[in-house]
mmCIF file with all atom_site columns, all heavy atoms in Angstrom:
data_model
loop_
_atom_site.group_PDB
_atom_site.id
_atom_site.type_symbol
_atom_site.label_atom_id
_atom_site.label_alt_id
_atom_site.label_comp_id
_atom_site.label_asym_id
_atom_site.label_entity_id
_atom_site.label_seq_id
_atom_site.pdbx_PDB_ins_code
_atom_site.Cartn_x
_atom_site.Cartn_y
_atom_site.Cartn_z
_atom_site.occupancy
_atom_site.B_iso_or_equiv
_atom_site.pdbx_formal_charge
_atom_site.auth_seq_id
_atom_site.auth_comp_id
_atom_site.auth_asym_id
_atom_site.auth_atom_id
_atom_site.pdbx_PDB_model_num
ATOM   1  N N   . GLY A 1 229 ? 91.418  108.679 100.908 1.00 98.00 ? 229 GLY A N   1
ATOM   2  C CA  . GLY A 1 229 ? 90.287  109.391 101.479 1.00 98.00 ? 229 GLY A CA  1
ATOM   3  C C   . GLY A 1 229 ? 90.543  110.880 101.367 1.00 98.00 ? 229 GLY A C   1
ATOM   4  O O   . GLY A 1 229 ? 89.742  111.615 100.768 1.00 98.00 ? 229 GLY A O   1
ATOM   5  N N   . PHE A 1 230 ? 91.657  111.375 101.928 1.00 98.00 ? 230 PHE A N   1
ATOM   6  C CA  . PHE A 1 230 ? 92.072  112.767 101.823 1.00 98.00 ? 230 PHE A CA  1
ATOM   7  C C   . PHE A 1 230 ? 91.060  113.737 102.386 1.00 98.00 ? 230 PHE A C   1
ATOM   8  O O   . PHE A 1 230 ? 91.088  114.958 101.985 1.00 98.00 ? 230 PHE A O   1
ATOM   9  C CB  . PHE A 1 230 ? 92.478  113.118 100.399 1.00 98.00 ? 230 PHE A CB  1
ATOM   10 C CG  . PHE A 1 230 ? 93.495  112.129 99.797  1.00 98.00 ? 230 PHE A CG  1
ATOM   11 C CD1 . PHE A 1 230 ? 93.124  111.307 98.753  1.00 98.00 ? 230 PHE A CD1 1
ATOM   12 C CD2 . PHE A 1 230 ? 94.780  112.066 100.312 1.00 98.00 ? 230 PHE A CD2 1
ATOM   13 C CE1 . PHE A 1 230 ? 94.071  110.413 98.151  1.00 98.00 ? 230 PHE A CE1 1
ATOM   14 C CE2 . PHE A 1 230 ? 95.673  111.163 99.769  1.00 98.00 ? 230 PHE A CE2 1
ATOM   15 C CZ  . PHE A 1 230 ? 95.390  110.359 98.737  1.00 98.00 ? 230 PHE A CZ  1
ATOM   16 N N   . ARG A 1 344 ? 92.527  117.375 103.108 1.00 98.00 ? 344 ARG A N   1
ATOM   17 C CA  . ARG A 1 344 ? 93.855  117.432 103.663 1.00 98.00 ? 344 ARG A CA  1
ATOM   18 C C   . ARG A 1 344 ? 94.283  118.883 103.988 1.00 98.00 ? 344 ARG A C   1
ATOM   19 O O   . ARG A 1 344 ? 94.594  119.648 103.112 1.00 98.00 ? 344 ARG A O   1
ATOM   20 C CB  . ARG A 1 344 ? 94.789  116.781 102.722 1.00 98.00 ? 344 ARG A CB  1
ATOM   21 C CG  . ARG A 1 344 ? 96.070  116.290 103.335 1.00 98.00 ? 344 ARG A CG  1
ATOM   22 C CD  . ARG A 1 344 ? 96.858  115.459 102.345 1.00 98.00 ? 344 ARG A CD  1
ATOM   23 N NE  . ARG A 1 344 ? 97.870  114.589 102.976 1.00 98.00 ? 344 ARG A NE  1
ATOM   24 C CZ  . ARG A 1 344 ? 98.603  113.718 102.281 1.00 98.00 ? 344 ARG A CZ  1
ATOM   25 N NH1 . ARG A 1 344 ? 98.415  113.482 101.030 1.00 98.00 ? 344 ARG A NH1 1
ATOM   26 N NH2 . ARG A 1 344 ? 99.514  113.008 102.915 1.00 98.00 ? 344 ARG A NH2 1
ATOM   27 N N   . MET A 1 471 ? 93.941  104.480 105.284 1.00 98.00 ? 471 MET A N   1
ATOM   28 C CA  . MET A 1 471 ? 93.653  104.927 103.957 1.00 98.00 ? 471 MET A CA  1
ATOM   29 C C   . MET A 1 471 ? 94.877  105.058 103.121 1.00 98.00 ? 471 MET A C   1
ATOM   30 O O   . MET A 1 471 ? 94.907  105.811 102.153 1.00 98.00 ? 471 MET A O   1
ATOM   31 C CB  . MET A 1 471 ? 92.858  106.218 104.012 1.00 98.00 ? 471 MET A CB  1
ATOM   32 C CG  . MET A 1 471 ? 93.504  107.352 104.777 1.00 98.00 ? 471 MET A CG  1
ATOM   33 S SD  . MET A 1 471 ? 92.393  108.701 105.122 1.00 98.00 ? 471 MET A SD  1
ATOM   34 C CE  . MET A 1 471 ? 92.209  108.644 106.931 1.00 98.00 ? 471 MET A CE  1
ATOM   35 N N   . GLY A 1 472 ? 95.873  104.334 103.513 1.00 98.00 ? 472 GLY A N   1
ATOM   36 C CA  . GLY A 1 472 ? 97.216  104.398 102.796 1.00 98.00 ? 472 GLY A CA  1
ATOM   37 C C   . GLY A 1 472 ? 98.214  105.208 103.552 1.00 98.00 ? 472 GLY A C   1
ATOM   38 O O   . GLY A 1 472 ? 99.403  105.141 103.216 1.00 98.00 ? 472 GLY A O   1
ATOM   39 N N   . GLN A 1 473 ? 97.792  105.896 104.664 1.00 98.00 ? 473 GLN A N   1
ATOM   40 C CA  . GLN A 1 473 ? 98.749  106.816 105.303 1.00 98.00 ? 473 GLN A CA  1
ATOM   41 C C   . GLN A 1 473 ? 99.653  106.080 106.258 1.00 98.00 ? 473 GLN A C   1
ATOM   42 O O   . GLN A 1 473 ? 100.560 106.727 106.785 1.00 98.00 ? 473 GLN A O   1
ATOM   43 C CB  . GLN A 1 473 ? 97.928  107.893 106.090 1.00 98.00 ? 473 GLN A CB  1
ATOM   44 C CG  . GLN A 1 473 ? 97.374  107.475 107.477 1.00 98.00 ? 473 GLN A CG  1
ATOM   45 C CD  . GLN A 1 473 ? 96.109  106.714 107.414 1.00 98.00 ? 473 GLN A CD  1
ATOM   46 O OE1 . GLN A 1 473 ? 95.903  105.812 106.628 1.00 98.00 ? 473 GLN A OE1 1
ATOM   47 N NE2 . GLN A 1 473 ? 95.205  107.007 108.386 1.00 98.00 ? 473 GLN A NE2 1
ATOM   48 N N   . SER A 1 513 ? 94.806  114.689 110.985 1.00 98.00 ? 513 SER A N   1
ATOM   49 C CA  . SER A 1 513 ? 96.145  114.160 111.226 1.00 98.00 ? 513 SER A CA  1
ATOM   50 C C   . SER A 1 513 ? 96.380  113.469 112.532 1.00 98.00 ? 513 SER A C   1
ATOM   51 O O   . SER A 1 513 ? 97.543  113.111 112.896 1.00 98.00 ? 513 SER A O   1
ATOM   52 C CB  . SER A 1 513 ? 97.235  115.197 110.994 1.00 98.00 ? 513 SER A CB  1
ATOM   53 O OG  . SER A 1 513 ? 97.165  115.860 109.801 1.00 98.00 ? 513 SER A OG  1
ATOM   54 N N   . THR A 1 514 ? 95.292  113.254 113.218 1.00 98.00 ? 514 THR A N   1
ATOM   55 C CA  . THR A 1 514 ? 95.456  112.765 114.592 1.00 98.00 ? 514 THR A CA  1
ATOM   56 C C   . THR A 1 514 ? 95.353  111.246 114.792 1.00 98.00 ? 514 THR A C   1
ATOM   57 O O   . THR A 1 514 ? 95.405  110.751 115.882 1.00 98.00 ? 514 THR A O   1
ATOM   58 C CB  . THR A 1 514 ? 94.250  113.336 115.501 1.00 98.00 ? 514 THR A CB  1
ATOM   59 O OG1 . THR A 1 514 ? 93.021  112.815 114.890 1.00 98.00 ? 514 THR A OG1 1
ATOM   60 C CG2 . THR A 1 514 ? 94.236  114.850 115.513 1.00 98.00 ? 514 THR A CG2 1
ATOM   61 N N   . GLY A 1 515 ? 95.268  110.467 113.659 1.00 98.00 ? 515 GLY A N   1
ATOM   62 C CA  . GLY A 1 515 ? 95.060  109.102 113.709 1.00 98.00 ? 515 GLY A CA  1
ATOM   63 C C   . GLY A 1 515 ? 96.022  108.375 114.688 1.00 98.00 ? 515 GLY A C   1
ATOM   64 O O   . GLY A 1 515 ? 95.559  107.625 115.547 1.00 98.00 ? 515 GLY A O   1
ATOM   65 N N   . GLN A 1 650 ? 104.492 110.265 103.334 1.00 98.00 ? 650 GLN A N   1
ATOM   66 C CA  . GLN A 1 650 ? 103.426 111.251 103.592 1.00 98.00 ? 650 GLN A CA  1
ATOM   67 C C   . GLN A 1 650 ? 103.869 112.625 103.119 1.00 98.00 ? 650 GLN A C   1
ATOM   68 O O   . GLN A 1 650 ? 103.027 113.394 102.548 1.00 98.00 ? 650 GLN A O   1
ATOM   69 C CB  . GLN A 1 650 ? 103.088 111.192 105.052 1.00 98.00 ? 650 GLN A CB  1
ATOM   70 C CG  . GLN A 1 650 ? 102.258 109.995 105.494 1.00 98.00 ? 650 GLN A CG  1
ATOM   71 C CD  . GLN A 1 650 ? 100.813 110.107 104.859 1.00 98.00 ? 650 GLN A CD  1
ATOM   72 O OE1 . GLN A 1 650 ? 100.019 110.910 105.290 1.00 98.00 ? 650 GLN A OE1 1
ATOM   73 N NE2 . GLN A 1 650 ? 100.534 109.270 103.944 1.00 98.00 ? 650 GLN A NE2 1
HETATM 74 N N1  . MTE I 2 .   ? 97.677  109.461 102.882 1.00 64.94 ? 1   MTE I N1  1
HETATM 75 C C1  . MTE I 2 .   ? 97.156  108.538 102.060 1.00 64.94 ? 1   MTE I C1  1
HETATM 76 N N2  . MTE I 2 .   ? 98.062  107.748 101.452 1.00 64.94 ? 1   MTE I N2  1
HETATM 77 N N3  . MTE I 2 .   ? 95.845  108.533 101.755 1.00 64.94 ? 1   MTE I N3  1
HETATM 78 C C2  . MTE I 2 .   ? 94.981  109.406 102.389 1.00 64.94 ? 1   MTE I C2  1
HETATM 79 O O1  . MTE I 2 .   ? 93.771  109.380 102.070 1.00 64.94 ? 1   MTE I O1  1
HETATM 80 N N4  . MTE I 2 .   ? 94.721  111.262 103.920 1.00 64.94 ? 1   MTE I N4  1
HETATM 81 C C3  . MTE I 2 .   ? 95.344  112.430 104.544 1.00 64.94 ? 1   MTE I C3  1
HETATM 82 C C4  . MTE I 2 .   ? 96.611  112.004 105.241 1.00 64.94 ? 1   MTE I C4  1
HETATM 83 N N5  . MTE I 2 .   ? 97.455  111.186 104.502 1.00 64.94 ? 1   MTE I N5  1
HETATM 84 C C5  . MTE I 2 .   ? 95.459  110.330 103.303 1.00 64.94 ? 1   MTE I C5  1
HETATM 85 C C6  . MTE I 2 .   ? 96.901  110.345 103.554 1.00 64.94 ? 1   MTE I C6  1
HETATM 86 C C7  . MTE I 2 .   ? 94.501  113.154 105.530 1.00 64.94 ? 1   MTE I C7  1
HETATM 87 S S1  . MTE I 2 .   ? 93.360  114.231 104.910 1.00 64.94 ? 1   MTE I S1  1
HETATM 88 C C8  . MTE I 2 .   ? 94.627  112.998 106.857 1.00 64.94 ? 1   MTE I C8  1
HETATM 89 S S2  . MTE I 2 .   ? 93.728  113.922 107.898 1.00 64.94 ? 1   MTE I S2  1
HETATM 90 C C9  . MTE I 2 .   ? 95.493  112.023 107.418 1.00 64.94 ? 1   MTE I C9  1
HETATM 91 O O2  . MTE I 2 .   ? 96.232  111.284 106.428 1.00 64.94 ? 1   MTE I O2  1
HETATM 92 C C10 . MTE I 2 .   ? 94.655  111.067 108.279 1.00 64.94 ? 1   MTE I C10 1
HETATM 93 O O3  . MTE I 2 .   ? 95.430  109.979 108.788 1.00 64.94 ? 1   MTE I O3  1
HETATM 94 P P1  . MTE I 2 .   ? 96.314  110.101 110.074 1.00 64.94 ? 1   MTE I P1  1
HETATM 95 O O4  . MTE I 2 .   ? 95.547  110.937 111.051 1.00 64.94 ? 1   MTE I O4  1
HETATM 96 O O5  . MTE I 2 .   ? 96.562  108.742 110.515 1.00 64.94 ? 1   MTE I O5  1
HETATM 97 O O6  . MTE I 2 .   ? 97.621  110.786 109.554 1.00 64.94 ? 1   MTE I O6  1
#
Side-chain angles (χ1 to χ4, degrees):
F230 307 112
R344 205 170 195 173
M471 54 192 114
Q473 84 277 40
S513 306
T514 60
Q650 283 290 290

